[in-house]
């Protein structure tokens, strides 16, 4: 079965485009997109250092462009995945009345790692650490969806 998955972070230039890029490479039979809760970077490609770190793992992100998360996304996706608790709170703040689309943390899909969020590499500068978490959790997500 094919699912529609939306990855969400704050700026949509580091974590969520990386998750989208990893997911579409590993699970091309599903459809996916990413968005930011903030609109600062709308129309921009992923942040250069994140593109480079991803490309070193064979994941190209250069075609992606940032957009802002909207309430309509609750109707357009089967599962919405945030990177940290702030993302989840911002997403939930836009939930339309009566909508029951699941919203989860990406790290929920890699419980063995013991992480409760994907630290923002825009601030930590640890792009490889973020990608390690994202790759492990996307594998778990793919399994959760039935492969
Ligand atoms: P992201 O990282 O949420 O993983 O895309 C950020 C990128 C940019 C900013 C914040 C977070 N910013 O403040 O511009």
């Amino acid at each position: 079965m094919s699912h529609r998955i939306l990855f969400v972070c704050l700026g949509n230039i580091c974590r969520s485009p990386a998750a989208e890029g990893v997911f579409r490479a590993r699970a091309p039979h599903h459809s996916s997109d990413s968005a930011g809760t903030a609109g600062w970077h709308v129309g921009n490609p992923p942040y250069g250092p994140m593109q480079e770190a991803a490309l070193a793992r064979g994941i190209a992100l250069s075609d992606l462009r940032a957009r802002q998360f909207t309430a309509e996304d609750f109707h357009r996706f089967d599962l919405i995945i945030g990177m940290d608790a702030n993302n989840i709170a911002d997403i939930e703040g836009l939930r339309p009345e009566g909508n029951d689309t699941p919203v989860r943390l990406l790290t929920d899909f890699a419980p063995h790692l013991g992480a409760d969020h994907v630290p923002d590499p825009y601030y930590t500068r640890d792009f490889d650490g973020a990608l390690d978490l994202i790759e492990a959790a996307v594998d778990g997500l793919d399994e959760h969806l039935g492969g």
Side-chain angles (χ1 to χ4, degrees):
M1 187 183 164
S2 181
H3 294 269
R4 300 169 300 169
I5 310 295
L6 181 65
F7 298 97
V8 178
C9 62
L10 176 59
N12 194 208
I13 58 169
C14 289
R15 295 166 294 173
S16 63
E20 179 186 359
V22 171
F23 184 75
R24 70 180 179 179
R26 301 214 178 155
H29 48 294
H30 299 298
S31 59
S32 56
D33 192 11
S34 65
T37 57
W40 308 313
H41 299 283
V42 168
N44 291 348
Y47 190 49
M50 179 53 98
Q51 285 201 48
E52 287 167 24
L55 199 55
R57 300 173 184 224
I59 305 290
L61 306 179
S62 60
D63 61 308
L64 301 177
R65 294 294 178 270
R67 72 169 178 90
Q68 190 165 16
F69 180 80
T70 75
E72 280 174 28
D73 287 317
F74 280 96
H75 300 300
R76 296 172 49 216
F77 295 92
D78 306 315
L79 173 61
I80 298 170
I81 299 180
M83 302 296 139
D84 60 36
N86 285 329
N87 301 154
I88 302 295
D90 291 340
I91 293 165
E92 289 291 354
L94 291 174
R95 183 186 289 277
E97 211 174 314
N99 177 276
D100 62 359
T101 304
V103 175
R104 303 280 301 274
L105 281 168
L106 183 61
T107 47
D108 287 351
F109 299 99
H112 60 288
L113 297 180
D116 66 358
H117 69 293
V118 181
D120 193 338
Y122 193 76
Y123 301 114
T124 68
R125 313 309 294 176
D126 185 7
F127 297 93
D128 275 304
L131 282 166
D132 287 345
L133 264 177
I134 287 166
E135 288 193 309
V138 164
D139 283 343
L141 170 63
D142 191 25
E143 279 174 35
H144 169 83
L145 296 174

